[in-house]
Amino acid sequence: MASLKEDTKWKKVLYDNQGKPDNYVDESFLDEMKKNVNTRTYELWNVIIESGVVSQQLSSICVFIVAFIYMEEDILSPQFLLTLSGTMTVLGYILYGVIDGGSEKQESDRTRVDDIKSVCLFLTVTFGLSPILKTLTDSISTDTIYAMTVFMFLGNLLFYDYGSTGAVASNALSLNAAIFASVCLASRLPTPWHAFVTVIFAMQVFALLPVLRRKLKSNIPLSQVMMTWLLATIAMAALFTVSKVGAVLFLLLHLSITFLFPFWLIKLQPYKNNIHGPWDEAVIKDKDA
Amino acid sequence: MCNEKVSYDSYIVFFRVVQSKTVQWFVRLPATGCQLIERYCHIQYIITVDKQLKDEQRLQHKTSPKLFISKGNLLSSILLDVFLGVVVMMWLFHNDYPKLVSCNLLHVLDVVGNELQKLLHWLMGVPAGLKLNSQLDEFLGKFFLYHVYLWIGYLNILRPFMETILWSIGLSGCLGLSVFLSLSMDFLSMLTFHIYCFYVYAARLYCLQLSGLSSCWRLFRGKKWNVLRQRVDSCQYDVDQLFLGTILFTVLLFLLPTTALYYVVFTSFRLLVLILDSVLAKTVTTLNTFPVFSVLLRLFHSDMLAGGVRFNVIQRMEGQPLCLSMQVEPAPYSVVLTEGKIEQLDTWRDHQIHNSSIGGLSRRLLLGHLVYPWGGDSKK
């Protein structure tokens, strides 16, 4: 006599023959779905303050470009720029040492002698190569040079390491793009001495200044806002003397980066719809990490 | 007794020197050397095969047809070679070609020298509207112009000997047409030596610049070539390394069009010469490997070359078993030509990398690696 099987509730196991095909699911299917588990919630003022990093970088680029324009129009003499930037670098170096309190110096292997060696290396190499750099792009038209410069500075903005762990950020690529752009611009100037000063100034603005900014941000969080507004004011004043349209554009861009974009980001948060569930691929988490 | 020992020792020393690697390599450097050594190997082989055949006959064994045919091939190839060479020589001397050719050749070489100088001056200006770096352009142009000047001087030294050289090349036809062709190949190489030099300079410079550029491009992106794993890996560079690398990258990038232009111009010249060279080399190889004796056997004595059997059914009668008649079929010509091909007996050096494929050749040209003449028989 055949015994009737009871109609038991379907269990999500495969080792029990429940008379259903292997890929059967019943109405409890979507119960295990979770929404938006890993999303972060943003606070408006935090985002506004953090967005200062982007506008700081933008301001440095604008300052550099204005300095180049001044040198080309012969308003600014290269000696003056060199002494000014040299003094600022030395001051920044002392400031870095003061804020640091010696902790990072002990962590990394670099001593003061190493730093002096690097400085000598930069100066010698650039001075030696400056005649070549000056005549490098003689036969290329100015428009091409300007286009390449713009492209490279955009690359610098894009790939700059703003402090997040985004995969796109690449410290090497951003610095290299900035140096490439500065070499392109340097070749348009009258003498090798101009080219030398431009490249050294670019080195200070794009390689050394970000280090100081990062150190300030990590040790004295309050200085972030001040730094942002200081750089923005300098950039805007400089742009204003060169071209009014540029200054207005910069002001608009700065305001949107600081206020408009964070506001927009937060406004779009409710539309997030990330679905997680047991169907996701397993992610192996390192216990030590 | 003492004299005999001295001469014996010196003979051994001479033998050892000749067997050494340097001398062997040096002798095979010109094409004529290779060809003469190949013929020498052929003759040696014929003598050994002859001895083998005589031994077999003495011991009443069956003579293997393969040895007989290969010996025949070699002998007939040498004979045909010498015959053709003598014909060409007679024809050349009958029409007094050496004098005519030498006059024309000298005239052509002068014209080529002048044209080269004009070309270099054009490259130093603004060629075809291309934008070149003027300093580097001038430097390279002056460098190559000095070499052309040296080459014109070298030609002037060669001028009185030209007719004698051509006459002796023609005379070498009695050693065989292949030797004549190899000598003309060597003579051509000697005349176009400056083009070879220019090509090597331009190719090496271009290759160096390209490899430096690719390395700096990897640094630009923050990556490095991992030699151990033979792949591109990311790398944390120091600030000074980044700085130097970027400056070098810029310099190399903007100087690349100038170098590339010189490379393209001189590579095209070199390719022209190589094509001529390869045609001659191919002819020499064909003369060396064509199995004349096998083809003649196939024509006149085809039952020596068996290529299969053919069965015919004999008229069947009642109550008798099936009778078949077997006939030996001679081999088809394609098999005769491929099987009978004379192998290269000079096994001393493996031939250089032959770019027989178009893809490989274009890749080598694009990357600036040196290309070598092709058309000889590569060892399988």
Side-chain angles (χ1 to χ4, degrees):
Chain A
M1 234 160 52
S3 55
L4 274 173
K5 230 192 218 169
E6 273 189 12
D7 199 19
T8 47
K9 190 153 167 36
W10 174 81
K11 281 186 292 190
K12 198 181 168 197
V13 291
L14 282 179
Y15 48 78
D16 207 3
N17 183 5
Q18 303 176 60
K20 303 265 187 349
D22 278 345
N23 55 359
Y24 172 80
V25 283
D26 61 359
E27 60 274 350
S28 69
F29 171 54
L30 285 177
D31 290 349
E32 296 188 45
M33 180 176 84
K34 298 188 192 92
K35 275 199 186 189
N36 294 341
V37 176
N38 294 331
T39 53
R40 305 148 62 155
T41 46
Y42 295 106
E43 249 182 77
L44 185 63
W45 280 111
N46 259 351
V47 179
I48 289 180
I49 292 177
E50 293 298 324
S51 75
V53 197
V54 180
S55 47
Q56 277 173 19
Q57 184 68 7
L58 186 62
S59 317
S60 349
I61 295 180
C62 289
V63 167
F64 178 73
I65 294 181
V66 170
F68 164 73
I69 295 179
Y70 277 170
M71 272 207 285
E72 205 185 0
E73 291 176 8
D74 226 1
I75 302 175
L76 180 68
S77 86
Q79 290 88 325
F80 178 69
L81 184 63
L82 189 64
T83 23
L84 183 67
S85 59
T87 338
M88 303 285 289
T89 310
V90 170
L91 283 175
Y93 188 66
I94 298 175
L95 185 66
Y96 185 92
V98 161
I99 294 178
D100 196 27
S103 65
E104 189 165 322
K105 261 294 176 291
Q106 280 157 7
E107 270 171 23
S108 71
D109 298 332
R110 295 175 68 85
T111 60
R112 300 242 181 267
V113 181
D114 274 335
D115 288 339
I116 295 181
K117 271 202 285 195
S118 294
V119 167
C120 286
L121 184 73
F122 295 155
L123 288 174
T124 342
V125 167
T126 320
F127 192 67
L129 285 181
S130 54
I132 304 182
L133 289 179
K134 166 148 174 357
T135 59
L136 212 51
T137 56
D138 264 348
S139 53
I140 304 187
S141 77
T142 317
D143 289 337
T144 320
I145 298 279
Y146 287 164
M148 275 201 300
T149 314
V150 166
F151 193 60
M152 284 295 147
F153 275 136
L154 273 176
N156 181 15
L157 265 183
L158 206 64
F159 291 109
Y160 183 74
D161 187 12
Y162 291 113
S164 71
T165 52
V168 167
S170 157
N171 193 19
L173 189 53
S174 73
L175 177 63
N176 288 337
I179 303 284
F180 188 90
S182 70
V183 170
C184 285
L185 284 181
S187 59
R188 287 285 140 202
L189 292 173
T191 66
W193 177 242
H194 282 88
F196 168 67
V197 169
T198 314
V199 176
I200 293 293
F201 183 57
M203 187 65 203
Q204 289 164 338
V205 169
F206 293 116
L208 301 180
L209 190 59
V211 174
L212 180 64
R213 291 203 318 246
R214 271 192 216 117
K215 181 52 72 171
L216 277 174
K217 185 172 165 205
S218 63
N219 281 29
I220 309 178
L222 291 170
S223 67
Q224 170 84 334
V225 180
M226 210 173 62
M227 181 66 111
T228 313
W229 283 103
L230 180 69
L231 277 175
T233 331
I234 296 177
M236 187 137 75
L239 272 176
F240 195 69
T241 54
V242 170
S243 135
K244 299 201 175 24
V245 176
V248 169
L249 268 177
F250 176 75
L251 180 68
L252 282 175
L253 202 57
H254 181 70
L255 286 177
S256 17
I257 292 178
T258 317
F259 296 112
L260 182 64
F261 291 150
F263 183 65
W264 200 358
L265 179 72
I266 292 183
K267 193 147 176 299
L268 287 177
Q269 287 303 306
Y271 294 112
K272 264 208 168 155
N273 195 7
N274 278 347
I275 304 176
H276 300 273
W279 52 80
D280 281 339
E281 275 176 28
V283 173
I284 302 172
K285 281 205 178 55
D286 213 349
K287 278 276 173 126
D288 307 312
Chain B
M1 185 66 175
C2 214
N3 286 344
E4 277 175 19
K5 191 163 186 324
V6 163
S7 64
Y8 184 63
D9 279 342
S10 56
Y11 176 68
I12 292 210
V13 164
F14 174 70
F15 200 60
R16 284 282 158 80
V17 162
V18 162
Q19 292 267 331
S20 76
K21 264 198 173 159
T22 335
V23 173
Q24 295 278 324
W25 173 79
F26 193 68
V27 168
R28 282 170 180 76
L29 214 48
T32 322
C34 286
Q35 181 60 24
L36 287 175
I37 289 181
E38 182 78 11
R39 282 296 182 216
Y40 172 70
C41 291
H42 284 178
I43 296 179
Q44 250 190 343
Y45 182 75
I46 290 177
I47 296 176
T48 40
V49 166
D50 234 356
K51 267 204 228 146
Q52 252 183 318
L53 284 175
K54 283 211 177 69
D55 284 339
E56 279 181 358
Q57 255 183 353
R58 228 173 351 114
L59 297 171
Q60 299 290 326
H61 284 183
K62 260 253 163 100
T63 48
S64 55
K66 202 158 169 91
L67 279 179
F68 175 67
I69 292 179
S70 59
K71 174 180 131 184
N73 271 335
L74 279 172
L75 258 180
S76 62
S77 152
I78 294 180
L79 281 174
L80 180 72
D81 211 9
V82 169
F83 174 68
L84 281 175
V86 167
V87 162
V88 167
M89 187 176 79
M90 296 297 222
W91 176 70
L92 277 180
F93 286 144
H94 179 70
N95 292 343
D96 202 17
Y97 271 138
K99 197 186 268 241
L100 192 69
V101 170
S102 77
C103 287
N104 277 346
L105 200 62
L106 284 171
H107 178 67
V108 163
L109 288 174
D110 280 334
V111 166
V112 165
N114 282 338
E115 287 301 310
L116 257 183
Q117 280 178 317
K118 270 200 249 174
L119 175 76
L120 283 171
H121 279 295
W122 179 69
L123 281 178
M124 272 166 47
V126 179
L130 288 170
K131 301 178 176 175
L132 303 178
N133 184 299
S134 42
Q135 274 82 1
L136 185 65
D137 204 3
E138 206 178 299
F139 171 72
L140 283 177
K142 284 218 171 86
F143 177 71
F144 286 123
L145 266 178
Y146 181 66
H147 274 80
V148 171
Y149 173 70
L150 280 178
W151 179 69
I152 291 180
Y154 157 79
L155 272 188
N156 281 335
I157 297 178
L158 216 56
R159 201 175 294 259
F161 303 110
M162 190 70 83
E163 201 188 318
T164 328
I165 294 177
L166 283 172
W167 191 80
S168 44
I169 290 181
L171 202 58
S172 73
C174 60
L175 282 176
L177 184 64
S178 53
V179 177
F180 172 74
L181 285 176
S182 337
L183 267 175
S184 18
M185 253 167 72
D186 287 331
F187 186 57
L188 181 73
S189 308
M190 250 177 46
L191 284 182
T192 56
F193 187 64
H194 62 308
I195 292 186
Y196 178 66
C197 277
F198 287 172
Y199 166 70
V200 170
Y201 293 149
R204 289 268 187 242
L205 190 65
Y206 176 71
C207 186
L208 202 66
Q209 190 157 357
L210 215 56
S211 74
L213 196 62
S214 61
S215 172
C216 284
W217 170 242
R218 276 182 234 122
L219 183 141
F220 197 90
R221 284 167 24 226
K223 297 200 191 298
K224 194 173 95 161
W225 174 252
N226 189 341
V227 185
L228 192 61
R229 293 290 193 103
Q230 295 285 310
R231 66 177 186 199
V232 177
D233 272 342
S234 58
C235 172
Q236 285 288 86
Y237 283 107
D238 237 354
V239 180
D240 18 0
Q241 288 171 325
L242 282 178
F243 182 68
L244 269 176
T246 311
I247 298 241
L248 262 177
F249 175 72
T250 327
V251 171
L252 286 176
L253 183 68
F254 284 118
L255 292 180
L256 191 68
T258 315
T259 320
L261 180 70
Y262 274 93
Y263 174 68
V264 162
V265 167
F266 291 129
T267 309
S268 43
F269 283 154
R270 174 80 180 138
L271 280 179
L272 277 173
V273 172
L274 273 186
I275 288 175
L276 205 57
D277 207 26
S278 307
V279 163
L280 285 174
K282 196 78 186 153
T283 322
V284 168
T285 322
T286 322
L287 276 172
N288 270 349
T289 58
F290 192 72
V292 183
F293 190 62
S294 304
V295 172
L296 285 176
L297 268 186
R298 175 75 179 78
L299 278 174
F300 299 124
H301 210 315
S302 48
D303 49 350
M304 275 211 81
L305 298 168
V309 289
R310 171 195 275 275
F311 288 99
N312 282 330
V313 178
I314 299 180
Q315 191 75 32
R316 195 183 167 159
M317 291 205 274
E318 295 276 336
Q320 298 238 333
L322 185 65
C323 289
L324 299 165
S325 82
M326 186 176 88
Q327 274 179 322
V328 174
E329 273 225 327
Y333 278 103
S334 51
V335 173
V336 166
L337 283 175
T338 43
E339 287 294 317
K341 213 170 177 184
I342 306 174
E343 272 174 13
Q344 190 188 22
L345 289 174
D346 176 24
T347 53
W348 189 80
R349 77 163 167 192
D350 254 317
H351 276 257
Q352 302 134 332
I353 327 130
H354 281 279
N355 319 299
S356 31
S357 69
I358 302 278
L361 183 65
S362 345
R363 188 173 168 273
R364 291 176 77 84
L365 284 178
L366 211 61
L367 289 179
H369 296 310
L370 294 176
V371 293
Y372 294 105
W374 59 97
D377 214 7
S378 55
K379 250 193 120 46
K380 294 272 186 331

